[in-house]
């Protein structure tokens, strides 16, 4: 029994290694693409679209939706815990350091939207499709960074995490404004009340999971019922979690939760999400007309070019006007390499594609997101490896 516990502990420790988590994520993505573009596509689609859950609570969702809205909330909770720690006691504790990723995220949303709108102007559906390239996929971007940038300062990871969280929150806000057919005020008030209870229990130093787990589940259900993207519940609860430890504690609640949930996030939540989200059929017909479709072309340019220009441009202006500072140990060239990862739209971009467009137009938009995300990943990987080697050589010479 002891040997089994040791094996489980070792496996969990293995999953906490970001490089391993990134490889598992990319592996799940590859499997999804193979399944969606093979004779197994019908079986894959049937599993993804199979509905399960209690209808009485409005939770009769497809397996794909459970992965996207449910499992991904765990990842957002873990990412939110790390962000909260960095804001309170870490790299972002300084106002100017915290300002940079926020400004960069805004630039990384505005420029891609303008490009997509400009390129696709006059096309049917562009009035909502312009929002497709505004999002950065946190999980995929961090996965690529973990695999390719071992020699870079840790401050760059914090910068990317913060930027991606702000970016995704902005994209979720756009979804709420553009695509929410109805807003349930009572459910939203219930979610706020549960969050307030969570914060109160944190303040009173209550630690039992018998209270926190039902509150977390109830908050998720309430946010979902309100018509808001349910993963925001994970971020909200994480930001309400205490990150400073008391004198009698070995670790603060945020660090304990992060340690316990990270293996589940990296080993289950994110790979399963990727398995069902990345299965985009890429037929010859879709690829053949991709660059003739103005909306698809706007999406590609928005993600690959717009994200880079927006993030780097906004960051440079913020530093130039002394509203922000570069991440510690990093400079403009490092930001260019990390900014390229902003073009990995994927999760939320695919979601907005489904919401904004129908039929063949939606398929082309999703193919454009996939192609742009792959291009951005490869370009970013090349830049990150190069910058990582530069930093490693500098460390060796020092």
């Amino acid at each position: 029994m002891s040997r089994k516990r040791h094996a489980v502990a070792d496996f969990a420790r293995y999953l906490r290694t970001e490089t391993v988590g990134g490889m598992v994520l990319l592996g799940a993505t590859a499997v999804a693409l193979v399944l969606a573009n093979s004779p197994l596509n019908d079986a894959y689609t049937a599993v993804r679209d199979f509905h399960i859950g209690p209808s009485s609570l409005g939770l009769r969702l497809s397996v794909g939706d459970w992965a996207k809205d449910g499992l991904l909330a765990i990842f957002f909770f873990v990412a939110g815990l790390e962000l909260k720690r960095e804001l309170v006691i870490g790299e972002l504790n300084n106002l100017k350091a915290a300002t940079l990723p926020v400004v960069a995220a805004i630039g990384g949303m505005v420029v891609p939207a303008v490009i997509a709108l400009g390129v696709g102007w006059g096309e049917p559906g562009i009035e909502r499709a312009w929002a497709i390239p505004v999002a950065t996929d946190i999980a995929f971007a961090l996965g690529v960074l973990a695999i390719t940038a071992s020699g870079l300062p840790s401050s760059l990871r914090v910068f990317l995490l913060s930027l991606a969280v702000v970016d995704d929150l902005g994209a979720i806000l756009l979804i709420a404004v553009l695509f929410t057919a109805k807003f349930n005020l009572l459910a939203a008030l219930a979610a706020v009340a549960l969050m307030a209870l969570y914060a109160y229990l944190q303040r009173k130093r209550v630690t039992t999971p018998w209270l926190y787990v039902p509150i977390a589940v109830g908050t998720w259900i309430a946010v979902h019922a309100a018509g808001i993207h349910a993963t925001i519940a994970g971020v909200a609860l994480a930001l309400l979690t205490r990150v400073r430890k008391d004198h009698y504690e070995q670790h603060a609640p945020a660090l304990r939760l992060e340690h316990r949930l990270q293996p589940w996030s990296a080993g289950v939540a994110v790979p399963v999400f990727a398995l069902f989200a990345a299965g985009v059929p890429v037929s010859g017909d879709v690829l053949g007309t991709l660059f003739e479709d103005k909306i698809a072309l706007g999406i590609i340019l928005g993600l690959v070019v717009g994200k880079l220009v927006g993030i780097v441009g906004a960051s440079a202006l913020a530093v130039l006007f002394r509203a922000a500072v570069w991440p510690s140990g990093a400079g403009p060239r490092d930001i260019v390499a990390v900014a390229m990862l902003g073009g990995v739209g994927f999760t939320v971009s695919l979601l907005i594609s489904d919401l904004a467009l129908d039929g063949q137009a939606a398929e082309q938009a999703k193919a454009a997101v996939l192609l742009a995300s792959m291009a951005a990943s490869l370009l970013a990987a090349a830049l990150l490896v190069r910058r990582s080697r530069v930093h490693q050589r500098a460390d060796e010479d020092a």
Side-chain angles (χ1 to χ4, degrees):
M1 189 71 175
S2 176
R3 185 178 296 176
K4 181 183 288 187
R5 280 200 297 269
H6 280 306
V8 172
D10 288 343
F11 184 62
R13 194 178 305 113
Y14 189 63
L15 286 174
R16 288 189 189 97
T17 305
E18 285 206 330
T19 305
V20 174
M23 291 175 66
V24 172
L25 173 61
L26 295 177
T29 303
V31 171
L33 285 169
V34 170
L35 290 174
N37 293 278
S38 74
L40 295 173
N41 179 50
D42 289 343
Y44 168 79
T45 304
V47 172
R48 186 193 62 199
D49 296 341
F50 181 76
H51 281 64
I52 189 172
S55 301
S56 57
L57 295 175
L59 294 176
R60 187 74 176 177
L61 307 176
S62 69
V63 172
D65 285 337
W66 276 112
K68 177 181 63 191
D69 294 342
L71 287 178
L72 208 59
I74 299 173
F75 169 79
F76 271 84
F77 182 70
V78 173
L81 289 173
E82 184 173 355
L83 178 62
K84 175 72 178 288
R85 280 198 299 109
E86 294 296 341
L87 285 168
V88 177
I89 58 176
E91 295 275 354
L92 301 178
N93 192 25
N94 176 283
L95 179 60
K96 287 189 175 183
T99 299
L100 186 67
V102 175
V103 172
I106 294 171
M109 295 178 69
V110 172
V111 176
V114 170
I115 289 176
L117 191 59
V119 174
W121 187 260
E123 293 294 307
I126 191 59
E127 67 277 1
R128 301 207 298 178
W130 61 265
I132 294 172
V134 303
T136 293
D137 190 283
I138 305 177
F140 279 81
L142 290 179
V144 174
L145 184 70
I147 292 171
T148 59
S150 58
L152 289 178
S154 60
S155 59
L156 285 171
R157 184 191 181 282
V158 176
F159 170 78
L160 178 62
L161 172 68
S162 310
L163 180 153
V165 168
V166 173
D167 197 303
D168 269 9
L169 288 177
I172 289 168
L173 181 61
L174 281 177
I175 291 173
V177 172
L178 296 175
F179 305 110
T180 299
K182 56 181 180 178
F183 176 72
N184 189 324
L185 180 60
L186 289 178
L189 291 174
V192 171
L194 287 169
M195 291 176 195
L197 177 59
Y198 182 95
Y200 175 78
L201 294 174
Q202 284 287 300
R203 187 177 180 83
K204 290 298 182 180
R205 300 320 194 245
V206 175
T207 59
T208 175
W210 295 105
L211 284 174
Y212 284 118
V213 172
I215 289 172
V217 173
T219 302
W220 182 89
I221 292 173
V223 170
H224 183 273
I228 304 169
H229 201 271
T231 51
I232 202 171
V235 178
L237 291 177
L239 294 177
L240 294 172
T241 304
R242 185 164 55 89
V243 297
R244 294 187 188 275
K245 67 172 187 171
D246 289 328
H247 63 88
Y248 57 85
E249 292 179 306
Q250 186 175 3
H251 300 292
L255 190 60
R256 289 199 305 269
L257 284 168
E258 193 178 333
H259 182 78
R260 290 173 183 171
L261 292 177
Q262 177 62 30
W264 291 101
S265 173
V268 179
V270 175
V272 171
F273 154 74
L275 184 63
F276 291 111
V280 179
V282 185
S283 65
D285 292 339
V286 171
L287 288 177
T289 59
L290 198 59
F291 293 98
E292 299 173 5
D293 186 309
K294 289 184 178 180
I295 291 180
L297 188 58
I299 292 168
I300 294 171
L301 291 175
L303 285 171
V304 178
V305 178
K307 280 289 184 181
L308 179 65
V309 172
I311 292 171
V312 175
S315 299
L317 287 174
V319 173
L320 179 65
F321 289 105
R322 298 183 179 179
V325 293
W326 298 118
S328 59
R333 293 182 180 180
D334 299 314
I335 295 297
V336 170
V338 173
M340 195 71 246
L341 279 174
V344 183
F346 212 75
T347 318
V348 181
S349 293
L350 290 175
L351 173 63
I352 297 175
S353 298
D354 269 331
L355 294 172
L357 301 166
D358 297 311
Q360 181 70 8
E363 290 300 313
Q364 287 189 313
K366 288 191 283 186
V369 169
L370 187 62
L371 181 62
S373 297
M374 289 175 63
S377 297
L378 293 173
L379 289 170
L383 292 171
L384 289 166
V385 168
R386 182 182 178 84
R387 294 306 303 163
S388 186
R389 288 173 180 169
V390 169
H391 279 274
Q392 286 172 340
R393 283 198 297 268
D395 291 340
E396 289 169 1
D397 294 341

